[in-house]
Amino acid sequence: MYVNAILTQSGFLHNEKVRGTINVMNPLIFQSDFGYSDGAVCAMYGVAEKVCDTLRVYDLTHDIPQYDIWEASYRLIQTVSYWPEGSVFVSVVDPGVGSTRRSIAVKTCTGQIVITPDNGTLTHIKRMLGIAQARVIDETVNRLPASGESYTFHGRDIYAYTGARLASQNITFEEVGPEVAVESVIELPVVEARHENSEVTGTIDVLDVRFGSLWTNIPRELFLQLGVQHGGRVEVTISNDTRTLYKNIMVYARSFADVNVGEPLLYVNSVDCVAVAINQGSFAKAYNIGTGINWRLSLRKAPRIVYE
């Protein structure tokens, strides 16, 4: 006996056992800035459950800082490509809810689907993973039944509902709504990492939240153009628009274990970009470092010092 999902007139799915058939469902993954102090996340889970009570629903995170579209974008690129083709992500960091901003669904070049406000949340996906197709959500069809007068909780009424219908294969990607040009998907401003005059510069994209490491937008290949090998030393300068907050020499390490507790290190993080840390400490807190395109990090191969 297998499960076959059948759509009722109310727009919700109910499960019915039918011999010899199976409805293959994809994972549904939620991300938001809602936190867990109220019922918002639970309501999204409830919508998914009513659409199909055999869906596999997961959380990426609900601890995105309030309204921080940039971090929402980064957490997606940190995660999406590790999920199977067909996985459906719903990301809701939406300071413009109720405005004219579009609600959009995109299919990545590796086959995952992301549903989100078109407000820059797809910046890193578009630039680093690639978008194969984009569609604007048709809210006349893909909206939670009996929610037509609510305009402040699209995460529940549109995104969770549409995501659950896609993940349960109640609707196809083409049924989400009309196709739009991939080029029209909104991107946040980005400062590209670069290598010139024996120096690599980039921005501090995001923090490794639990441990206070600084994750930059400098890819490993660009950094290696400095000719630094593991165990070599790098001069690191960190500044914002007003002043330099840090300048020192540190080891380029394979991992934290290569330096003593309390020592700084430069390493390649899990998204193959350069990061800066303190072994068993928070670099961000120690030097009051923030994130975003106004925070710059410069790297030079440290000169060899010969003691006589």
Side-chain angles (χ1 to χ4, degrees):
M1 303 289 287
Y2 299 95
V3 173
N4 186 43
I6 298 178
L7 182 65
T8 68
Q9 289 183 347
S10 67
F12 289 114
L13 285 173
H14 292 287
N15 296 322
E16 181 176 296
K17 293 182 178 179
V18 180
R19 185 177 301 276
T21 64
I22 186 169
N23 185 57
V24 179
M25 299 180 193
N26 292 310
L28 177 63
I29 305 100
F30 287 144
Q31 169 178 273
S32 77
D33 59 353
F34 297 159
Y36 292 101
S37 60
D38 65 12
V41 172
C42 190
M44 293 171 64
Y45 265 80
V47 168
E49 179 78 7
K50 290 181 77 173
V51 168
C52 181
D53 61 17
T54 57
L55 268 179
R56 293 169 293 152
V57 184
Y58 304 88
D59 289 323
L60 194 164
T61 180
H62 294 288
D63 290 327
I64 300 292
Q66 293 95 321
Y67 319 120
D68 194 336
I69 298 168
W70 178 270
E71 181 150 339
S73 174
Y74 200 95
R75 297 308 174 197
L76 285 174
I77 195 61
Q78 186 182 356
T79 309
V80 165
S81 64
Y82 296 99
W83 284 77
E85 181 179 353
S87 299
V88 179
F89 286 77
V90 170
S91 179
V92 191
V93 178
D94 195 12
V97 63
S99 70
T100 58
R101 64 97 184 92
R102 301 186 298 186
S103 296
I104 197 167
V106 302
K107 184 175 290 186
T108 72
C109 290
T110 50
Q112 301 85 6
I113 294 172
V114 183
I115 297 172
T116 185
D118 186 23
N119 59 8
T121 297
L122 292 163
T123 298
H124 289 87
I125 293 290
K126 184 177 177 182
R127 295 173 61 84
M128 300 171 67
L129 190 59
I131 295 174
Q133 190 178 0
R135 292 183 177 272
V136 172
I137 297 175
D138 181 354
E139 297 179 15
T140 65
V141 178
N142 295 302
R143 186 181 177 97
L144 183 68
S147 65
E149 296 301 316
S150 174
Y151 300 100
T152 60
F153 199 175
H154 286 179
R156 176 195 65 196
D157 299 338
I158 298 171
Y159 304 140
Y161 181 65
T162 304
R165 298 181 82 200
L166 278 167
S168 62
Q169 299 196 31
N170 174 20
I171 60 172
T172 65
F173 184 69
E174 289 70 26
E175 291 175 296
V176 166
E179 186 172 7
V180 294
V182 170
E183 294 75 17
S184 72
V185 175
I186 291 175
E187 297 180 59
L188 299 171
V190 172
V191 176
E192 298 285 0
R194 67 181 188 275
H195 177 205
E196 58 184 20
N197 299 324
S198 302
E199 182 179 57
V200 171
T201 60
T203 58
I204 300 172
D205 268 4
V206 75
L207 300 182
D208 185 352
V209 178
R210 289 279 292 173
F211 303 104
S213 305
L214 314 179
W215 286 22
T216 78
N217 70 333
I218 300 171
R220 174 176 52 88
E221 293 87 351
L222 188 66
F223 166 71
L224 291 178
Q225 292 179 18
L226 294 177
V228 181
Q229 305 295 320
H230 284 120
R233 296 188 176 271
V234 182
E235 182 185 272
V236 178
T237 303
I238 301 172
S239 59
N240 57 23
D241 287 341
T242 60
R243 62 195 177 104
T244 297
L245 288 92
Y246 181 89
K247 188 170 185 177
N248 208 342
I249 292 174
M250 62 180 67
V251 172
Y252 170 42
R254 290 182 184 274
S255 70
F256 292 80
D258 289 349
V259 302
N260 294 322
V261 173
E263 288 188 1
L265 67 148
L266 184 143
Y267 66 102
V268 174
N269 66 16
S270 61
V271 293
D272 211 29
C273 288
V274 169
V276 175
I278 294 174
N279 187 14
Q280 297 188 32
S282 170
F283 199 105
K285 289 182 179 178
Y287 298 100
N288 197 26
I289 306 296
T291 63
I293 61 175
N294 296 325
W295 288 87
R296 309 296 176 90
L297 183 140
S298 301
L299 306 174
R300 289 181 179 273
K301 186 175 183 179
R304 184 179 180 184
I305 299 175
V306 178
Y307 296 95
E308 298 182 350

